[in-house]
Amino acid sequence: CENRGVFYPVLDNADLGGIMSAYIKYFAYGQEMCSASFLSYTSATGGQTLLAGCMAAYDRTGPNPDLLGVTCMDTNLLTDVGQWNATAGWPFFVCTASDMTKQCRQLDLKECHRQKIRAAHSAQSVCNIDSEQQTYSTATASTVCPCRDQGCQDDPAFRDEKGYFCDTWVGDDCKAAAASWGYSD
Protein backbone atom coordinates (compact mmCIF):
# COMPACT_ATOMS: atom_id res chain seq x y z
CA CYS A 1 0.00 0.00 0.00
CA GLU A 2 2.78 2.45 0.83
CA ASN A 3 4.17 1.85 -2.70
CA ARG A 4 0.83 2.75 -4.36
CA GLY A 5 0.47 -0.78 -5.70
CA VAL A 6 -1.78 -3.79 -5.39
CA PHE A 7 -1.08 -6.82 -3.20
CA TYR A 8 -1.99 -10.07 -4.94
CA PRO A 9 -2.11 -12.92 -2.41
CA VAL A 10 -1.28 -16.29 -3.99
CA LEU A 11 -2.61 -19.40 -2.29
CA ASP A 12 -1.29 -22.91 -2.91
CA ASN A 13 -2.80 -24.40 -6.08
CA ALA A 14 -4.06 -20.96 -7.18
CA ASP A 15 -4.07 -19.86 -10.83
CA LEU A 16 -0.63 -18.24 -10.68
CA GLY A 17 -0.66 -17.26 -14.37
CA GLY A 18 -4.03 -15.53 -13.99
CA ILE A 19 -2.94 -13.72 -10.85
CA MET A 20 0.35 -12.60 -12.40
CA SER A 21 -1.40 -11.29 -15.49
CA ALA A 22 -3.92 -9.34 -13.39
CA TYR A 23 -1.32 -6.62 -12.84
CA ILE A 24 -2.16 -5.30 -16.31
CA LYS A 25 -5.42 -3.95 -14.85
CA TYR A 26 -3.36 -1.44 -12.88
CA PHE A 27 -2.08 0.05 -16.13
CA ALA A 28 -5.38 -0.37 -17.99
CA TYR A 29 -7.26 1.65 -15.36
CA GLY A 30 -4.56 4.32 -15.24
CA GLN A 31 -3.93 4.79 -18.94
CA GLU A 32 -6.39 5.37 -21.71
CA MET A 33 -4.64 4.81 -25.00
CA CYS A 34 -5.76 7.24 -27.67
CA SER A 35 -3.14 6.50 -30.29
CA ALA A 36 -1.80 3.30 -31.78
CA SER A 37 1.42 1.55 -30.92
CA PHE A 38 3.21 -0.24 -33.73
CA LEU A 39 4.90 -3.60 -33.70
CA SER A 40 7.04 -5.19 -36.40
CA TYR A 41 7.30 -8.97 -36.33
CA THR A 42 8.06 -11.95 -38.52
CA SER A 43 5.25 -14.19 -39.75
CA ALA A 44 5.40 -17.66 -38.24
CA THR A 45 4.20 -19.25 -41.47
CA GLY A 46 6.13 -17.47 -44.21
CA GLY A 47 8.97 -15.56 -42.60
CA GLN A 48 7.49 -12.32 -43.99
CA THR A 49 7.96 -9.06 -42.05
CA LEU A 50 4.59 -7.85 -40.77
CA LEU A 51 3.69 -4.52 -39.21
CA ALA A 52 0.72 -4.13 -36.86
CA GLY A 53 -0.92 -1.06 -35.36
CA CYS A 54 -2.48 -1.88 -31.97
CA MET A 55 -4.87 -0.06 -29.63
CA ALA A 56 -6.66 -0.87 -26.41
CA ALA A 57 -10.45 -1.18 -26.40
CA TYR A 58 -12.43 -0.01 -23.36
CA ASP A 59 -15.94 -0.56 -22.02
CA ARG A 60 -17.07 2.96 -21.20
CA THR A 61 -20.58 2.08 -19.99
CA GLY A 62 -19.68 2.16 -16.28
CA PRO A 63 -18.30 4.86 -13.96
CA ASN A 64 -14.73 3.98 -14.99
CA PRO A 65 -13.44 2.54 -18.26
CA ASP A 66 -12.64 -1.19 -18.14
CA LEU A 67 -10.13 -2.74 -20.49
CA LEU A 68 -11.85 -5.13 -22.87
CA GLY A 69 -8.68 -6.11 -24.68
CA VAL A 70 -6.27 -5.01 -27.35
CA THR A 71 -6.89 -5.17 -31.05
CA CYS A 72 -4.29 -5.03 -33.78
CA MET A 73 -4.46 -4.70 -37.52
CA ASP A 74 -1.63 -5.66 -39.79
CA THR A 75 -0.80 -2.98 -42.33
CA ASN A 76 -0.07 -5.89 -44.66
CA LEU A 77 -3.83 -6.17 -45.14
CA LEU A 78 -3.68 -2.78 -46.85
CA THR A 79 -0.31 -2.86 -48.59
CA ASP A 80 2.84 -4.95 -48.91
CA VAL A 81 5.34 -3.65 -46.31
CA GLY A 82 8.25 -4.69 -48.55
CA GLN A 83 6.96 -2.47 -51.35
CA TRP A 84 5.89 0.27 -48.97
CA ASN A 85 9.36 0.66 -47.45
CA ALA A 86 10.71 1.42 -50.94
CA THR A 87 8.49 4.52 -51.24
CA ALA A 88 9.46 8.11 -50.41
CA GLY A 89 6.98 8.28 -47.49
CA TRP A 90 8.34 5.22 -45.66
CA PRO A 91 11.00 7.04 -43.56
CA PHE A 92 8.39 9.56 -42.38
CA PHE A 93 5.98 6.77 -41.41
CA VAL A 94 8.71 4.86 -39.54
CA CYS A 95 9.70 8.00 -37.61
CA THR A 96 6.09 8.87 -36.76
CA ALA A 97 5.19 5.29 -35.76
CA SER A 98 8.33 5.04 -33.62
CA ASP A 99 7.52 8.33 -31.86
CA MET A 100 3.91 7.24 -31.22
CA THR A 101 5.01 3.86 -29.87
CA LYS A 102 7.66 5.29 -27.54
CA GLN A 103 5.43 8.08 -26.23
CA CYS A 104 4.96 8.13 -22.48
CA ARG A 105 1.44 7.25 -21.49
CA GLN A 106 0.21 9.10 -18.44
CA LEU A 107 -0.44 6.73 -15.54
CA ASP A 108 -3.15 8.54 -13.63
CA LEU A 109 -4.45 6.45 -10.76
CA LYS A 110 -5.81 8.07 -7.66
CA GLU A 111 -6.05 6.08 -4.43
CA CYS A 112 -9.74 5.53 -5.17
CA HIS A 113 -8.86 3.73 -8.43
CA ARG A 114 -6.20 1.62 -6.71
CA GLN A 115 -8.63 0.63 -3.95
CA LYS A 116 -11.19 -0.45 -6.56
CA ILE A 117 -8.57 -2.66 -8.23
CA ARG A 118 -7.58 -4.09 -4.84
CA ALA A 119 -11.19 -4.73 -3.78
CA ALA A 120 -12.00 -6.42 -7.09
CA HIS A 121 -9.14 -8.85 -6.51
CA SER A 122 -9.37 -9.70 -2.82
CA ALA A 123 -10.39 -8.30 0.56
CA GLN A 124 -6.79 -9.02 1.64
CA SER A 125 -5.57 -6.55 -1.00
CA VAL A 126 -7.50 -3.54 0.33
CA CYS A 127 -5.48 -0.91 2.22
CA ASN A 128 -6.70 0.77 5.40
CA ILE A 129 -4.06 3.39 6.19
CA ASP A 130 -3.65 7.20 6.18
CA SER A 131 -6.41 9.74 5.66
CA GLU A 132 -6.61 9.71 1.83
CA GLN A 133 -6.72 5.92 1.67
CA GLN A 134 -9.30 5.68 4.48
CA THR A 135 -11.56 7.91 2.40
CA TYR A 136 -11.69 5.17 -0.21
CA SER A 137 -11.19 2.07 1.96
CA THR A 138 -14.76 1.00 1.17
CA ALA A 139 -14.53 1.67 -2.59
CA THR A 140 -16.64 -0.71 -4.68
CA ALA A 141 -17.08 -1.25 -8.41
CA SER A 142 -19.78 1.46 -8.45
CA THR A 143 -17.74 4.09 -6.57
CA VAL A 144 -17.13 7.12 -8.78
CA CYS A 145 -13.51 8.18 -8.41
CA PRO A 146 -12.14 11.70 -8.97
CA CYS A 147 -11.74 12.64 -12.62
CA ARG A 148 -8.48 12.23 -14.42
CA ASP A 149 -6.93 15.25 -16.11
CA GLN A 150 -7.65 14.54 -19.77
CA GLY A 151 -5.69 17.65 -20.78
CA CYS A 152 -2.40 16.25 -19.50
CA GLN A 153 -0.27 15.23 -22.47
CA ASP A 154 3.23 13.93 -22.99
CA ASP A 155 5.84 16.43 -24.16
CA PRO A 156 7.88 14.52 -26.79
CA ALA A 157 10.76 17.00 -26.45
CA PHE A 158 11.05 16.64 -22.64
CA ARG A 159 14.44 15.78 -21.16
CA ASP A 160 15.21 16.06 -17.48
CA GLU A 161 18.29 17.87 -16.17
CA LYS A 162 20.37 14.71 -16.64
CA GLY A 163 19.18 14.21 -20.23
CA TYR A 164 16.68 11.39 -19.68
CA PHE A 165 13.34 11.20 -21.52
CA CYS A 166 10.07 10.94 -19.63
CA ASP A 167 9.78 7.17 -20.04
CA THR A 168 12.57 6.74 -17.47
CA TRP A 169 10.31 8.45 -14.89
CA VAL A 170 7.25 6.23 -15.32
CA GLY A 171 6.23 4.92 -11.91
CA ASP A 172 8.72 7.08 -9.99
CA ASP A 173 7.86 9.67 -7.35
CA CYS A 174 9.04 12.99 -8.79
CA LYS A 175 8.97 14.55 -5.31
CA ALA A 176 11.74 12.14 -4.27
CA ALA A 177 14.02 12.97 -7.21
CA ALA A 178 16.39 15.19 -5.23
CA ALA A 179 16.84 12.81 -2.29
CA SER A 180 16.86 9.57 -4.27
CA TRP A 181 18.77 10.46 -7.44
CA GLY A 182 20.56 13.74 -6.79
CA TYR A 183 18.34 16.04 -8.87
CA SER A 184 17.93 19.71 -8.00
CA ASP A 185 14.71 20.85 -6.33
Side-chain angles (χ1 to χ4, degrees):
C1 292
E2 58 272 4
N3 294 322
R4 300 183 328 246
V6 178
F7 168 63
Y8 292 97
V10 180
L11 303 174
D12 289 339
N13 300 319
D15 175 15
L16 183 59
I19 293 169
M20 290 176 67
S21 64
Y23 85 95
I24 196 69
K25 290 180 183 178
Y26 185 89
F27 297 101
Y29 281 137
Q31 297 178 329
E32 288 192 56
M33 307 298 179
C34 299
S35 60
S37 290
F38 291 87
L39 173 68
S40 177
Y41 64 99
T42 303
S43 166
T45 56
Q48 178 183 10
T49 298
L50 302 175
L51 181 65
C54 303
M55 284 191 65
Y58 298 93
D59 175 0
R60 291 178 168 37
T61 59
N64 293 295
D66 280 327
L67 179 69
L68 293 172
V70 175
T71 184
C72 298
M73 180 175 172
D74 285 319
T75 57
N76 303 61
L77 294 172
L78 306 172
T79 188
D80 180 88
V81 173
Q83 292 176 359
W84 188 17
N85 70 17
T87 66
W90 178 254
F92 177 76
F93 169 76
V94 169
C95 183
T96 302
S98 176
D99 287 350
M100 288 172 64
T101 300
K102 293 176 185 174
Q103 186 177 40
C104 291
R105 315 283 193 200
Q106 176 188 3
L107 182 60
D108 186 14
L109 282 176
K110 306 289 186 237
E111 188 57 27
C112 177
H113 301 104
R114 289 190 291 270
Q115 286 288 65
K116 287 176 71 167
I117 295 168
R118 293 173 186 134
H121 182 73
S122 158
Q124 289 178 286
S125 300
V126 176
C127 298
N128 289 311
I129 54 175
D130 86 32
S131 61
E132 181 190 6
Q133 290 176 340
Q134 286 178 0
T135 303
Y136 298 110
S137 64
T138 58
T140 66
S142 61
T143 300
V144 178
C145 295
C147 293
R148 297 176 178 127
D149 180 3
Q150 296 298 319
C152 184
Q153 297 294 319
D154 184 34
D155 177 358
F158 172 81
R159 286 189 183 218
D160 68 21
E161 67 186 56
K162 295 188 178 190
Y164 294 105
F165 292 101
C166 77
D167 64 337
T168 58
W169 283 94
V170 173
D172 290 323
D173 180 3
C174 296
K175 294 175 184 152
S180 299
W181 302 294
Y183 282 83
S184 63
D185 289 329

